[in-house]
């Protein structure tokens, strides 16, 4: 099977995960400038489980309002449309892709921990560098490896082949994909994101996070996700580890120089934020 055949097969799979309906609706609505707080609250009110999760989120240590926000419309006023949209999309996606039975034998919680860590780190990089909206970077980080989930769910043999090669040849997952199978998680993830009608910049950030190309839509978003992934992979396990700048695309090194130079100073604080985000998004 070549990459084209695999992506075609992906299109034909019935029951291929869709972006959960409510997230899709909220996503569409926020592309429309006329959306009012009222309209958005009305949609959310139809999903009480979502409402209580969002209220729990805005009142959590993550945002720091500590029990002061009691309604969705208040949450939108305080945090803004984008933050609420991103919270809804994040919660829906994690919920849709967390069933332990489907991912039998694969630690899906570890997968989401990595994704949440990249999301929080991307948000931090965006805030400090001021080169992108922090909210969009959070979503990009959360979704960057989504192709892996599809690989596990629908192409298990290919996935196992990659895992074996990671162990035996001591390679990164991406290197093993390149040498062992005809398609990789960035191609699958990009394909899926397009199907979900996510913004073009987000599709490209998922598609090229291991292979930065200056010609993409929204290069700054891509560079932030690319760098955050490498920071998390380096510092996640060992806070004293040294970043290898040669792994990072030179344009990204230039643009994010200030943040890269001081990473060991700020990462400990960011890892506390990662912990609190994991608590919210992953605790059942
Ligand atoms: Fe990746
Ligand atoms: Fe990753």
């Amino acid at each position: 099977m070549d990459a084209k055949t695999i992506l075609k097969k992906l299109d034909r799979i019935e029951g291929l995960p869709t972006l959960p309906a409510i997230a899709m609706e909220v996503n569409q609505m926020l592309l429309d400038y006329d959306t009012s707080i009222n309209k958005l609250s009305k949609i959310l009110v139809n999903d009480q489980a979502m409402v209580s999760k969002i209220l729990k989120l805005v009142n959590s240590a993550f945002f720091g309002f500590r029990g002061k926000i009691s309604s969705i419309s208040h949450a939108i006023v305080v945090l803004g449309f984008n933050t609420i949209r991103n919270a809804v999309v994040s919660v829906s996606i994690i919920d849709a892709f967390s069933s332990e039975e489907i991912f039998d034998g694969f630690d899906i919680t570890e997968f989401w921990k990595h994704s949440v860590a990249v999301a929080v780190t991307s948000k931090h990089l965006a805030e400090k560098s001021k080169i992108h909206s922090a909210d969009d970077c959070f979503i990009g980080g959360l979704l960057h490896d989504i192709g892996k989930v599809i690989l596990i769910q629908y192409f298990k043999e290919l996935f196992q082949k990659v895992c074996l090669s990671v162990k035996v040849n001591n390679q990164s997952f991406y290197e093993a994909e390149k040498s062992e199978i005809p398609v990789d998680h960035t191609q699958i993830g990009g394909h899926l994101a397009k199907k979900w009608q996510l913004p073009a910049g987000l599709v490209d950030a998922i598609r090229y996070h291991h292979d930065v190309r200056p010609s993409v839509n929204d290069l700054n978003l891509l560079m932030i996700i690319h760098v955050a992934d490498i920071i998390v992979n380096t510092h996640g396990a060992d806070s004293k580890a040294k970043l290898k700048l040669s792994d990072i695309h030179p344009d990204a090194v230039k643009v994010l120089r200030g943040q890269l130079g001081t990473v060991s100073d700020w990462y400990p604080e960011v890892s506390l934020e990662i912990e609190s985000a994991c608590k919210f998004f992953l605790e059942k």
Side-chain angles (χ1 to χ4, degrees):
M1 255 196 304
D2 60 7
K4 235 185 173 166
T5 320
I6 292 178
L7 295 178
K8 267 206 179 130
K9 188 178 162 199
L10 201 62
D11 282 335
R12 285 196 303 268
I13 294 173
E14 274 186 45
L16 184 75
T18 53
L19 191 61
I22 188 127
M24 193 76 149
E25 209 169 333
V26 171
N27 197 26
Q28 288 296 329
M29 199 166 231
L30 289 174
L31 296 174
D32 168 12
Y33 285 104
D34 297 331
T35 302
S36 64
I37 292 180
N38 243 341
K39 228 166 157 188
L40 183 58
S41 328
K42 258 190 205 140
I43 289 225
L44 288 173
V45 164
N46 291 328
D47 185 342
Q48 274 306 317
M50 180 61 76
V51 168
S52 57
K53 271 214 145 177
I54 298 296
L55 291 179
K56 200 175 136 203
L57 173 67
V58 297
N59 288 307
S60 72
F62 192 54
F63 283 112
F65 289 98
R66 298 197 186 275
K68 291 187 193 123
I69 298 175
S70 57
S71 71
I72 284 291
S73 43
H74 188 191
I76 299 169
V77 172
V78 175
L79 293 168
F81 277 128
N82 261 344
T83 303
I84 298 300
R85 184 262 311 259
N86 287 343
V88 172
V89 174
S90 311
V91 166
S92 310
I93 288 172
I94 294 180
D95 280 355
F97 296 95
S98 294
S99 151
E100 266 148 31
E101 300 104 68
I102 294 177
F103 299 108
D104 170 40
F106 171 75
D107 194 340
I108 188 73
T109 309
E110 269 312 304
F111 169 83
W112 282 120
K113 271 188 189 160
H114 168 75
S115 304
V116 169
V118 175
V120 173
T121 307
S122 301
K123 176 172 158 265
H124 177 89
L125 287 174
E127 278 162 359
K128 294 295 170 195
S129 65
K130 300 197 171 61
I131 61 168
H132 208 283
S133 130
D135 269 319
D136 292 345
C137 290
F138 186 88
I139 284 281
L142 196 67
L143 289 180
H144 77 286
D145 275 337
I146 196 76
K148 283 189 185 173
V149 171
I150 303 301
L151 200 56
I152 301 155
Q153 204 169 341
Y154 298 101
F155 302 95
K156 219 173 196 150
E157 277 158 39
L158 298 184
F159 179 73
Q160 280 161 345
K161 219 171 160 189
V162 173
C163 289
L164 187 70
S165 178
V166 167
K167 262 194 209 143
V168 175
N169 301 320
N170 197 19
Q171 289 170 304
S172 73
F173 191 89
Y174 184 62
E175 284 165 347
E177 282 177 318
K178 287 266 164 237
S179 63
E180 298 296 318
I181 63 173
V183 73
D184 66 67
H185 70 283
T186 67
Q187 288 168 282
I188 295 181
H191 189 79
L192 193 65
K194 218 174 179 177
K195 259 179 113 80
W196 284 348
Q197 297 171 3
L198 294 176
L202 191 50
V203 172
D204 283 353
I206 295 171
R207 174 67 183 87
Y208 297 109
H209 68 273
H210 290 290
D211 180 20
V212 172
R213 297 181 182 191
S215 59
V216 295
N217 292 290
D218 210 341
L219 179 61
N220 286 351
L221 174 68
L222 170 63
M223 290 196 291
I224 283 183
I225 307 297
H226 164 71
V227 168
D229 190 33
I230 294 174
I231 291 177
V232 168
N233 285 335
T234 311
H235 287 270
D238 174 7
S239 58
K240 299 224 159 44
K242 266 222 156 324
L243 268 182
K244 262 187 20 215
L245 288 186
S246 57
D247 289 343
I248 302 174
H249 191 278
D251 291 351
V253 173
K254 238 189 253 158
V255 173
L256 292 164
R257 183 172 285 138
Q259 288 66 46
L260 284 166
T262 52
V263 62
S264 47
D265 300 331
W266 56 261
Y267 197 76
E269 206 169 302
V270 166
S271 48
L272 294 179
E273 205 180 318
I274 292 172
E275 245 174 68
S276 97
C278 281
K279 258 199 198 127
F280 171 76
F281 285 110
L282 306 178
E283 264 172 23
K284 300 247 155 76

